[in-house]
Amino acid sequence: MSQERGSRPQPVHVTVTGAAGQVGYALVFRIASGQLLGSDQPIVLRMLDIEPALGALEGVAMELQDCAFPLLQDLVVTADANEGFDNASWALLVGAMPRKEGMERGDLLAANGGIFGPQGQAIAARAASDVRVLVVGNPCNTNALIASANAPDLPRDRWFAMTRLDENRAKYQLAHKAGVPVAEVTNLAIWGNHSATQYPDAQNAKIGGKPAPVVIDDDAWLRDDFIPTVQKRGAAIIAARKLSSAGSAANAIVDSVNSIHLGTPAGDWTSLAVASNGEYGIPEGLFFSFPVQCQDGSWSVVEGITHNAEGQRRIKATTDELLHERELVKDLLP
Ligand code: NAD
Ligand code: LMR
């Protein structure tokens, strides 16, 4: 962003869809306070929701005004996707129905899939030339596939679906078991779908710089406790709260954008679902969560990671699920 000496940078437009919802409410104040793009980056916050939610969204806008955030240069409240994505450099696609107790995220495809084609088209038509898109609304991997397929002229490396919440959950579980601060857990990747088939990979993770399986020294716990706990954490929160995660989801959105924007620490990586280019044998085009390294605004999938037989089996299961989801939405893919 160009900046004259002593002047402030130009504002960056950030769009949040579903901004009247619970993840949106936990997110927009963090964006406006500077936690998304930095404490010297002015923001124009564009909040998009459906018509019936506009009254509530006006209330959120009033609260944002009442925070007197120095970085919040302007606010847009709209139900019009073209206006919502106008000039956006970041599009955070949260707006979608959440699942209820007893559902899998894939059960939302019928209700939510239709939202993402038109939004992909509006992003292609109206967003800034540097736009990057993070899909959060579930099932987020396949919704990202739908949205990006409807914006074929936008480079595929601008599209992400969120698995950072799973990574953060996995890091907490490992740190808690090892009795160390969570910052000691690094190189933790989620592979595959943001669903109960995901593979949280402790085998290649590190704790205090040492292999996590050596530090944990309990293979049965890693297999029978750690993996299912991470896979089913979203459902456990719904069972407890009667609502799906919101604060931790908003936090993971901030973490994801921070990683893409500011980079990942040297030697470490983060989890992002991106369009496969065939890495690790994953079929081309599927939005699959990989270990990703980010630097200077660009990113790449980490190569050369190996998996034991169990890891390979789990990666195949989550790939098969994504292929099945792709088949279910083929009518939404131009
Ligand atoms: P919510 O019901 O509280 O809010 C959803 C909001 O989206 C509502 O305000 C609704 O009016 C709006 N919306 C619906 N259709 C829309 C459209 N076409 N355009 C714009 N807005 C629209 O739900 P929530 O708890 O905020 O969750 C939102 C989504 O995020 C859900 O699909 C949920 O499953 C998902 N989620 C994903 C993760 C993740 O890790 N990937 C984490 C948490 C939640
Ligand atoms: C989560 O992981 O908490 C979200 O995807 C919400 C859900 O449905 O589990």
Side-chain angles (χ1 to χ4, degrees):
M1 193 60 49
S2 68
Q3 183 183 5
E4 283 172 31
R5 200 177 155 82
S7 70
R8 293 179 103 193
Q10 291 296 307
V12 167
H13 292 238
V14 178
T15 302
V16 177
T17 73
Q22 49 151 4
V23 176
Y25 191 74
L27 177 64
V28 291
F29 298 90
R30 296 190 61 176
I31 296 173
S33 70
Q35 291 178 46
L36 193 80
L37 296 178
S39 56
D40 62 352
Q41 178 56 63
I43 302 277
V44 174
L45 186 55
R46 314 187 75 87
M47 301 195 291
L48 173 67
D49 211 297
I50 52 175
E51 202 78 41
L54 286 188
L57 198 50
E58 289 290 355
V60 177
M62 285 157 64
E63 283 204 71
L64 282 160
Q65 291 161 349
D66 295 348
C67 292
F69 287 123
L71 293 172
L72 187 56
Q73 185 134 334
D74 201 2
L75 265 175
V76 176
V77 170
T78 183
D80 177 75
N82 285 328
E83 189 185 4
F85 293 115
D86 197 34
N87 207 18
S89 289
W90 287 93
L92 309 175
L93 307 192
V94 179
M97 191 186 285
R99 65 175 162 153
K100 306 261 178 337
E101 210 167 344
M103 292 170 75
E104 292 298 331
R105 298 179 187 92
D107 298 337
L108 293 168
L109 258 188
N112 288 344
I115 294 173
F116 289 87
Q119 289 191 352
Q121 291 163 14
I123 289 169
R126 299 297 288 266
S129 57
D130 65 351
V131 67
R132 279 170 286 184
V133 188
L134 178 68
V135 180
V136 177
N138 277 319
C140 59
N141 298 55
T142 297
N143 289 336
L145 174 71
I146 297 167
S148 63
N150 279 275
D153 293 339
L154 250 181
R156 279 201 315 189
D157 65 0
R158 307 288 188 76
W159 296 85
F160 307 89
M162 189 169 89
T163 51
R164 179 64 170 262
L165 177 53
D166 309 291
E167 175 186 323
N168 289 346
R169 288 167 171 165
K171 282 179 165 168
Y172 170 76
Q173 295 298 327
L174 289 180
H176 185 64
K177 175 78 174 168
V180 300
V182 79
E184 300 235 336
V185 184
T186 62
N187 302 85
L188 190 295
I190 303 297
W191 296 76
N193 202 2
H194 173 61
S195 77
T197 67
Q198 67 179 268
Y199 175 42
D201 180 10
Q203 299 301 317
N204 289 294
K206 292 182 182 157
I207 300 176
K210 301 196 184 90
V214 172
V215 176
I216 298 286
D217 194 23
D218 188 345
D219 290 347
W221 180 85
L222 284 174
R223 187 186 59 240
D224 301 332
D225 205 328
F226 166 74
I227 291 178
T229 296
V230 177
Q231 290 175 326
K232 295 184 196 149
R233 187 68 161 187
I237 287 162
I238 293 169
R241 252 169 57 84
K242 311 301 172 204
L243 283 170
S244 63
S245 63
S248 56
N251 180 68
I253 294 171
V254 172
D255 283 349
S256 301
V257 173
N258 285 171
S259 289
I260 298 165
H261 182 57
L262 302 172
T264 43
D268 201 357
W269 53 66
T270 191
S271 307
L272 284 162
V274 296
S276 168
N277 287 315
E279 297 92 343
Y280 295 92
I282 305 306
E284 206 265 336
L286 283 189
F287 271 75
F288 194 92
S289 181
F290 289 110
V292 166
Q293 287 177 327
C294 310
Q295 202 180 3
D296 300 329
S298 67
W299 59 267
S300 57
V301 172
V302 179
E303 294 184 45
I305 294 174
T306 56
H307 297 285
N308 60 19
E310 188 203 345
Q312 290 172 26
R313 182 179 60 73
R314 290 184 183 278
I315 286 174
K316 176 164 183 344
T318 197
T319 304
D320 287 348
E321 184 183 50
L322 283 168
L323 285 169
H324 176 64
E325 287 185 10
R326 181 162 76 178
E327 187 58 28
L328 291 178
V329 302
K330 61 176 190 288
D331 291 348
L332 300 176
L333 306 175

